[in-house]
Structures are given as structure tokens and as C-alpha cells.
Amino acid sequence: MHGATEAILLVGGKGTRLRPVTVHTPKPMVPAAGVPFLTHQLARARAAGIEHIVLATSYLAEVFEPHFGDGSSLGLHLEYVTEDEPLGTGGAIRNVAPLLRSDPSDPVLIFNGDILTGLDIPALVATHESSSADVSLHLTQVEDPRAYGLVPTDSTGRVTAFLEKPQTPEEIVTDQINAGAYVFRRSVIDTIPTGRPVSVERETFPDLLASGAHLQGMVDSTYWLDLGTPQAFVRGSADLVLGRAPSPAVPGRCGDRLVLPTARVAPDAKLTGGTVVGEGATVGAGARIEGSTILSGAVIEPGATITDSLVGADSVIGARTILAGAVIGDGARVGADNELRAGARVWCNAVLPDACVRFSSDQ
Ligand code: GDD
Ligand code: MG
């Protein structure tokens, strides 16, 4: 058989990296470029020939199915599996194996749910098939690999080690990291132990290497972003709008801005850098918004200046307020004439009075 037709999408875990985001929705469902983030991954997989995807989840599973249903609106057949307790990445993969229909020798695509990438999925599958690997991994190069899985390879691309989140400088042997997309030969999935948590990064990959299995790396330096922080999320959404991150699911043409149909933007407001204005949101006169995501129903009052920020659903940003690198939770009210910069986060439904925070010096 050529190509892959099935995939597993990992969208569970303890969610520790989700909690600091002050928007209510779990991150995979927060709109990026106007649609729930997961839509981009699903649409890219579909465009690469995947027909059946199992979502492996362990938290808030009930939000995925009501939205995506059986997947037919995306031309997919979607199924959902919820773990009682998080089973880890490997445990989650093994747990959904009974739903796969692939033959033992068939390739199955597996991907982390928090990655935005332009990965050439058919090329990864082709690499897998031409190298007769047991598992093939998409690798990307980053400046600081410490927060990732390090994957050194030999001159043929064969993986020589897998070092998840290296702790010592000696362990930093490469700038190639696991980009969170794999092709597994189906029979390899069936060898993962059942009934207990398993980390594919800390257990399955090292064990496979120790037993002489063939893990093949494919370095693809296409667009890649881990959306683990709200700042990265905002960046990713803007890059989708700008067309830097390719996705068939961006509603409308790529460009400097994306204004959803029911949003209202004053004629002299300036929207740039991949800014998204969500459904029913309002942008007042003279506001300037750059590289930011304004979620549905938010109100941006006249003269506000917003850069690289996430503005939660139904929140209000007061007149002349400045946001730069800020995250405003759903339903929060930031009064007029405030200034919030550099990672400031306002909790959901919190209220900041007028003129109470600023960063600039006395004038
Ligand atoms: N179903 C399920 N159950 N999914 C899980 C579980 C679980 O118990 N634990 C984690 N996941 C999912 C997460 O939702 C995410 O989509 C993916 O597996 C990876 O988990 P993260 O918690 O986001 O891991 P990470 O970002 O620290 O590291 C991973 O991604 C890096 C690239 O961004 C690793 O795979 C690294 O090796 C990799 O470099
Ligand atoms: Mg992650």
C-alpha cells in the first residue's frame, strides 16, 4: 500500500500548559485565524489523503465532538476516545489502536495537537516507506532545544538517540528536535503496553532504539510552531492569516487581516500583521491593532492600541488603552487609559478600572 489513510491526533494530557491561558475554552478549540485551532490540523491531514482520524483525549472531551461531529463537514471520518486518567502520549496511542483499520504493515500518522506546521505529510510517509522504517519522525531545528525532545541522526537520517527535555548541557548534542508528527508502522503501535501511562518520548522511542528498531528522521525546515504559550498562539494565528503558515481551513483569503463577517470595524481603525477580529466583535474609531487575535464578542473602544495580544471573548478594552504582548481573559473589562505589556495576563471576568496600570514613565 502507498500513502497513509489513518491518523491519531493527541489532544489530551494533564493540560498544565493550558491552564495559564486565561481564556475559558481549551486551547485546541480557541479560534486561530477564525476557526478552532484543531480545524487547521484536521484540514491539512485531509488534504494529505488522511480519511479516518481518531482524537485521543483525556480532558474536556465533550467540547470536541459537538463541534466536529463525525467529521463529514471536513470530508473526514472522526472518532473520539476519552481516557479515564491521562495515559501519556504512548498510552493514548495504544489506547485507540482497536479503532484503527490499517493492516499491520500500513503507515499510521500520529500528531501532537498543539503544533502549527507546514509539514509535507506525504513526504514524511514517503520517507517512511522508502526507508522501511518502523517509525518515522518529523524533525525541525530550533535555537534552544531544551523544552523539546532531542533527536540526533546519522548521515542517512537514521535516529541514533531520543533525549526528551535534556537536563544537562552534555545532553544537548543536536539542534534537531521532535516536531510532534510521526508515522508508525501499525504493528509497532500494537507493541506499546496497555492499561498504564506510557510516554512515547521517554519510554517507547528509547526502548525501540535499544531493541534495534529503525527510527527514521526527516528534517523539514518548513513553518513550525509549538503553541504551548498564549504568545505563541497569537503568533500562530497571525501567521495563518498572513499565509506564512499554510492551512486550507483559513476562512477567506490570506492577507494583513481577517475580519469575520459579523464583526464591526470602524472605517478608520487600522488592522495589520495578521490581526483577526472574531464574530460579533467591535473595533472602535482610531483603534490600531497589529498581529493580535480579538475573539468573538470583544469590544475594542476608540483609540486603543493592541499589539501581539490575545483578547478573550466578550471582553472590553477601554478607550486609549495600550496592550502589547498581553492576554486578556474571556469576559474581562480593562478600563480606559491603561497600559499592559510584556506577558501581562488578565483573568477571565476580572475588572480593571480606568487608568490604573501603566508601564511608561511619568511625563
Ligand atoms: N490523549 C492524550 N493523553 N494526549 C496527551 C497526553 C495524554 O495523557 N499527554 C500529552 N498529550 C498530548 C498533548 O495534548 C499534546 O498534543 C501532545 O500530546 C504532546 O504533549 P505536550 O504536553 O504538549 O508535550 P511537550 O510539548 O512538552 O513535548 C512534546 O512536543 C514537543 C514538540 O512541541 C514532545 O513530543 C517533544 O518531544 C516535542 O519536541
Ligand atoms: Mg506541546
Side-chain angles (χ1 to χ4, degrees):
M1 200 197 88
H2 287 285
T5 59
E6 283 195 304
I8 300 170
L9 179 54
L10 298 171
V11 281
K14 297 205 171 62
T16 45
R17 286 174 137 196
L18 297 171
R19 229 164 276 140
V21 181
T22 57
V23 284
H24 282 310
T25 332
K27 189 134 33 100
M29 295 303 283
V30 176
V35 296
F37 171 69
L38 229 46
T39 319
H40 300 290
Q41 292 183 310
L42 295 172
R44 292 198 82 252
R46 181 67 197 97
I50 302 291
E51 294 162 359
H52 177 215
I53 300 184
V54 186
L55 264 79
T57 180
S58 60
Y59 64 84
L60 293 173
E62 64 276 12
V63 302
F64 300 119
E65 195 163 359
H67 184 83
F68 292 111
D70 65 0
S72 51
S73 62
L74 289 163
L76 284 163
H77 175 211
L78 289 184
E79 292 188 275
Y80 306 83
V81 175
T82 308
E83 298 142 37
D84 297 331
E85 289 294 323
L87 287 172
T89 45
I93 295 167
R94 180 64 183 88
N95 189 48
V96 306
L99 293 182
L100 299 174
R101 304 151 183 169
S102 299
D103 289 333
S105 61
D106 285 346
V108 176
L109 176 71
I110 297 177
F111 48 119
N112 289 355
D114 57 353
I115 303 294
L116 181 60
T117 177
L119 168 69
D120 184 342
I121 296 170
L124 183 64
V125 177
T127 297
H128 180 78
E129 294 186 323
S130 66
S131 64
S132 303
D134 296 299
V135 179
S136 301
L137 299 86
H138 171 210
L139 308 180
T140 189
Q141 288 163 299
V142 294
E143 242 163 64
D144 182 359
R146 285 176 296 178
Y148 303 104
L150 265 61
V151 189
T153 48
D154 70 12
S155 59
T156 66
R158 189 165 172 156
V159 175
T160 54
F162 195 105
L163 304 152
E164 182 68 13
K165 316 253 160 64
Q167 300 292 314
T168 63
E170 297 76 53
E171 286 180 301
I172 303 177
V173 293
T174 176
D175 64 352
Q176 291 177 181
I177 61 143
N178 168 25
Y182 324 112
V183 176
F184 271 62
R185 186 188 306 130
R186 195 255 146 94
S187 57
V188 176
I189 295 175
D190 297 327
T191 66
I192 299 173
T194 56
R196 66 169 173 88
V198 177
S199 161
V200 80
E201 297 90 348
R202 295 183 193 276
E203 183 175 339
T204 309
F205 292 146
D207 284 1
L208 282 168
L209 287 168
S211 69
H214 181 164
L215 272 60
Q216 186 70 18
M218 184 185 88
V219 182
D220 182 336
S221 48
T222 175
Y223 185 92
W224 186 86
L225 192 63
D226 176 329
L227 302 181
T229 65
Q231 270 69 31
F233 191 88
V234 168
R235 184 70 257 146
S237 177
D239 287 340
L240 282 160
V241 172
L242 292 166
R244 289 183 190 149
S247 162
V250 175
R253 241 181 305 127
C254 288
D256 236 13
R257 71 192 67 89
L258 174 67
V259 177
L260 293 198
T262 53
R264 279 173 300 148
V265 177
D268 67 343
K270 227 178 137 198
L271 309 177
T272 55
T275 286
V276 186
V277 183
E279 280 165 31
T282 318
V283 179
R288 288 169 34 187
I289 312 182
E290 188 183 342
S292 297
T293 296
I294 312 300
L295 296 180
S296 60
V299 175
I300 312 300
E301 293 186 339
T305 303
I306 302 177
T307 314
D308 300 335
S309 296
L310 179 59
V311 175
D314 302 315
S315 61
V316 178
I317 308 303
R320 297 170 303 280
T321 279
I322 296 170
L323 304 179
V327 178
I328 310 301
D330 291 345
R333 298 183 69 91
V334 178
D337 300 303
N338 283 292
E339 185 181 1
L340 299 175
R341 291 186 182 271
R345 295 179 185 201
V346 176
W347 249 233
C348 290
N349 304 315
V351 178
L352 247 69
D354 290 351
C356 70
V357 182
R358 74 174 184 194
F359 277 62
S360 48
S361 59
D362 292 349
Q363 296 286 335

